[in-house]
Amino acid sequence: MATKKQIILPFVVLGIGVAGLVGLSALKKPPEEKPQVDMTPLVSVEEIVYQPMTFNVDSYGVVNAKYTTEIIAQVGGEIIYLDPNFVKGGFVKKGEVLAKIDPSDYESSLLDAQANIASSKASLVQERANAEVAIREWADITNQKPTDLSLRKPQLAQELAKLKSAEASLNRAKRDLERTVIRAPYDALIDAREIGLGSYVSKGSLIGKVLNTDKAEVRLPIADKEMQYLQAKGVGTTVNLYSNFAGSKHTWKGKIVRSEGVVDSRSRMTYLVAEVDDPYGLNTNKKELRYGTYVTAEVTGLEAGNVAVVPRHLVVNGAVAIMDAEKTLRYKPVTIIRQDGANVVITDGLETGMQLITSALDYPIDGMKVSLPQDRILQKEAEKDASELAMEGE
């Protein structure tokens, strides 16, 4: 039969175990609460600004001379003189002598023509005297009306014709003699010279090629959809031309003087022609715009009024995402009047000061809450300050 001690001992051990468990439970710290994670999407924004804008139309082209002239020999002979500036790349003034052809034969022809003139004049004087004698003699013989032949009118007409022919020969001889001196037709840049000193040229031979330096022309292709942004189809408007010169970018101003009036069959472009005065800076101090230079062009267009410029990729189905004052995403329909490269030009639908959302969102929904990165930073700083105060209180 169990003793009293044996009966009490299990209860004592059980009590000690329960007391130990209670003590351990009292020593254990409660689990820390995890901070609530803010799942509001972060966005970047940009303030909408309406401001005046002038439409510009971009183009490109190659600079060429307004006038290009091939100089052709009008008489034949030996080249006896060449101007030192008559070389490729040389500049010459209007009327400057470029070359001379041996004038000996043409001087002799001029003397012959002058002699023929003198002879014809003498013959004409003699024939007029003969006509006067014939008139008197006819009057002495009869009172009848004289015939033209009896008055020597045919002979007089023949002498007049000979004189006119001699005068024409004289003029021709003078012109031929003048043409032995080859002059520049205008202020020009020498593009080519096809003759040398002592060479022989015949009538119609190519002497050289010159380019006018008073004005340069640039053909600018314009797409049909861009023509709507130009006043008077571009004619009369200013144009800025850009290109590199001596390692740096330079700008030249020009003016659209005409449209070629047709659509190019291959490029489907309309060509406007711009003119630049004094491209080589011969009469001014501006940088030279050399022929053959490739330039980009900016043609001044219409006044657009107050508009906002927005990146094109932010426009979805004709609307853009805006963050309102309550930091809520809202879609605003917009009116687009032009696409300009990576941007679009908006005239209506937005207001100055609105916050345009520029960052990409995975699942944007109208009315969803959004926040800015700086808001998240301020929130973390506030939580950190609260935590530090709590630790100091303990």
Side-chain angles (χ1 to χ4, degrees):
M1 188 170 182
T3 62
K4 185 178 181 179
K5 184 177 181 181
Q6 290 174 332
I7 294 172
I8 294 173
L9 184 59
F11 290 100
V12 172
V13 173
L14 183 59
I16 293 171
V18 171
L21 288 174
V22 172
L24 291 173
S25 297
L27 293 174
K28 185 177 180 181
K29 293 182 179 180
E32 296 181 359
E33 294 183 1
K34 293 183 179 180
Q36 187 177 0
V37 178
D38 187 359
M39 300 300 292
T40 305
L42 293 177
V43 295
S44 298
V45 296
E46 181 179 296
E47 185 176 347
I48 294 293
V49 177
Y50 274 85
Q51 55 189 1
M53 181 180 183
T54 300
F55 285 141
N56 291 319
V57 176
D58 295 331
S59 188
Y60 56 89
V62 177
V63 181
N64 291 300
K66 183 175 183 178
Y67 301 114
T68 300
T69 303
E70 289 185 341
I71 300 177
I72 304 297
Q74 295 178 287
V75 294
E78 180 186 356
I79 300 297
I80 60 172
Y81 170 79
L82 287 176
D83 187 85
N85 292 326
F86 189 27
V87 292
K88 186 176 178 64
F91 291 96
V92 293
K93 291 291 185 179
K94 180 179 180 179
E96 185 174 337
V97 176
L98 303 180
K100 291 181 180 180
I101 296 173
D102 185 4
S104 302
D105 292 341
Y106 302 100
E107 289 171 347
S108 298
S109 297
L110 179 60
L111 291 175
D112 284 341
Q114 291 171 340
N116 289 334
I117 284 284
S119 176
S120 296
K121 286 182 178 180
S123 298
L124 180 61
V125 170
Q126 183 178 353
E127 190 56 43
R128 281 176 175 167
N130 292 337
E132 291 176 359
V133 171
I135 293 172
R136 289 196 299 269
E137 289 179 348
W138 183 268
D140 293 339
I141 297 173
T142 179
N143 292 327
Q144 294 182 357
K145 184 178 179 180
T147 63
D148 290 343
L149 182 60
S150 61
L151 298 180
R152 300 186 65 84
K153 287 185 177 180
Q155 293 86 338
L156 182 61
Q158 185 178 13
E159 293 302 325
L160 283 171
K162 289 180 179 179
L163 178 59
K164 288 186 179 295
S165 177
E167 289 175 344
S169 297
L170 178 63
N171 290 334
R172 191 178 303 112
K174 287 180 179 179
R175 285 198 305 271
D176 287 344
L177 183 59
E178 290 174 355
R179 288 169 177 172
T180 60
V181 179
I182 300 168
R183 301 179 183 273
Y186 40 66
D187 291 353
L189 168 68
I190 306 301
D191 185 56
R193 192 189 77 190
E194 304 296 335
I195 58 173
L197 190 63
S199 60
Y200 181 87
V201 295
S202 57
K203 185 176 181 179
S205 297
L206 179 63
I207 299 294
K209 185 178 180 182
V210 295
L211 309 175
N212 172 253
T213 56
D214 288 337
K215 293 182 182 294
E217 285 190 346
V218 186
R219 296 177 71 236
L220 303 174
I222 305 293
D224 181 69
K225 65 178 182 179
E226 296 293 300
M227 294 295 290
Q228 61 182 309
Y229 304 116
L230 298 177
Q231 182 75 32
K233 297 182 180 179
V235 177
T237 58
T238 58
V239 56
N240 291 323
L241 304 175
Y242 305 96
S243 184
N244 291 327
F245 176 80
S248 59
K249 190 172 183 179
H250 292 275
T251 304
W252 296 267
K253 285 193 175 295
K255 185 178 181 180
I256 303 296
V257 294
R258 69 179 186 276
S259 169
E260 293 189 352
V262 296
V263 177
D264 186 83
S265 59
R266 292 177 295 180
S267 64
R268 310 311 303 169
M269 296 281 193
T270 297
Y271 280 86
L272 301 180
V273 179
E275 276 189 5
V276 180
D277 293 331
D278 192 22
Y280 278 85
L282 300 178
N283 303 315
T284 59
N285 294 324
K286 65 182 182 180
K287 295 292 183 180
E288 65 177 5
L289 179 59
R290 293 170 292 176
Y291 296 147
T293 300
Y294 176 84
V295 294
T296 56
E298 188 179 73
V299 183
T300 303
L302 297 170
E303 296 290 337
N306 288 329
V307 296
V309 179
V310 172
R312 183 177 59 180
H313 69 275
L314 298 180
V315 181
V316 180
N317 297 325
V320 296
I322 297 295
M323 185 185 74
D324 63 15
E326 287 74 31
K327 294 187 178 177
T328 302
L329 185 148
R330 298 295 182 188
Y331 278 105
K332 295 287 185 180
V334 294
T335 302
I336 298 173
I337 61 170
R338 189 185 187 193
Q339 179 177 314
D340 186 13
N343 299 322
V344 291
V345 181
I346 294 174
T347 58
D348 194 20
L350 302 177
E351 296 178 3
T352 297
M354 282 186 171
Q355 301 295 313
L356 174 68
I357 296 176
T358 58
S359 56
L361 297 172
D362 292 335
Y363 303 101
I365 300 174
D366 191 282
M368 69 184 294
K369 289 291 183 180
V370 293
S371 61
L372 300 174
Q374 54 266 35
D375 296 337
R376 191 67 57 84
I377 293 172
L378 292 174
Q379 180 183 356
K380 289 182 178 180
E381 290 179 351
E383 291 176 353
K384 181 179 178 181
D385 293 342
S387 176
E388 290 176 353
L389 288 174
M391 292 178 65
E392 290 176 359
E394 293 176 359

